[in-house]
């Protein structure tokens, strides 16, 4: 049994509080707009990109976290139909107009480790991520409606523990 660990919830750059929970694989600093990968108690710089799409509707906006691995994108959040979401994200990357860096809303609820991207790709019959590629976080803006999220032409359900009062925790 491993000892409990605690996330050092302080940004290594600006010493501001990081946003992230013990179950999350990603913490981010809203002040620096930087993301960190969380492995046990260790924080590692995590390159991050964002999609500039405009989700349908006019409810609250959130950002769903994905892992970019080579030419594919797989969900880093827990939700319904992860394989379908991986296929949709992968074929939408060009249409979503990806830019470098993070901007609000920041992606929350990244519970899935980047190491599982290869298995998701295999199950979803997507190209395998190139070996040794460091993971990149992708923030995809979505509309939220209760426990559902809306993307252009697609909707899904979020893990109930991750959603509270219309936002991802
Ligand atoms: Zn910071």
């Amino acid at each position: 049994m491993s000892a409990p660990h605690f996330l050092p919830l302080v940004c290594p750059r600006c010493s501001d509080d990081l946003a992230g929970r013990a179950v999350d694989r990603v913490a981010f600093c809203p002040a620096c707009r930087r993301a960190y990968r969380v492995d046990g108690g260790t924080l590692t710089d995590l390159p991050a990109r964002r999609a500039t799409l405009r989700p349908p509707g006019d409810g609250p906006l959130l950002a769903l976290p994905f892992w970019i691995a080579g030419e594919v994108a797989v969900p880093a959040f827990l939700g319904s139909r992860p394989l379908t979401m991986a296929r949709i994200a992968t074929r939408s990357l060009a249409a979503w107009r990806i830019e470098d860096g993070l901007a609000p809303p920041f992606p929350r609820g990244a519970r899935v480790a980047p190491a599982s991207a290869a298995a998701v790709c295999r199950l979803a019959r997507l190209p395998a991520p190139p070996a040794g590629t460091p993971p990149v976080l992708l923030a995809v803006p979505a509309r939220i409606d209760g426990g559902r999220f809306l993307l252009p032409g697609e909707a899904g359900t979020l893990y109930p523990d991750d959603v509270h009062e219309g936002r991802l925790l």
Side-chain angles (χ1 to χ4, degrees):
M1 201 165 95
S2 62
H5 64 263
F6 296 94
L7 191 61
L9 284 169
V10 172
C11 176
R13 280 187 180 72
C14 73
S15 300
D16 220 340
D17 288 340
L18 291 182
R21 302 166 300 169
V23 295
D24 292 334
R25 303 310 182 109
V26 173
F28 58 87
C29 175
C32 298
R33 297 189 172 191
R34 282 181 174 275
Y36 298 96
R37 188 173 152 189
V38 184
D39 293 301
T42 310
L43 296 175
T44 314
D45 274 319
L46 181 60
R49 296 180 189 157
R50 66 185 191 277
T52 57
L53 66 94
R54 191 174 164 71
D58 54 7
L61 206 58
L62 55 72
L64 297 170
F66 286 79
W67 295 115
I68 296 180
E71 301 295 308
V72 302
V74 303
F77 61 97
L78 292 186
S80 56
R81 303 187 299 143
L83 304 183
T84 301
M85 277 315 303
R87 292 186 198 107
I88 290 169
T90 297
R91 72 165 181 259
S92 302
L93 279 176
W96 283 352
R97 296 188 15 245
I98 310 301
E99 294 183 357
D100 279 340
L102 287 179
F106 297 103
R108 292 178 177 267
R111 287 176 177 257
V112 180
S116 58
V120 174
C121 290
R122 194 165 55 244
L123 291 168
R125 300 179 198 281
L126 291 168
T133 316
V136 174
L137 180 71
L138 173 65
V140 178
R143 211 60 82 168
I144 190 165
D145 173 15
R148 295 175 73 233
F149 65 84
L150 304 170
L151 288 167
E154 183 59 27
T157 308
L158 295 163
Y159 186 53
D161 282 7
D162 286 349
V163 192
H164 179 65
E165 292 185 349
R167 66 186 195 105
L168 269 175
L169 299 174

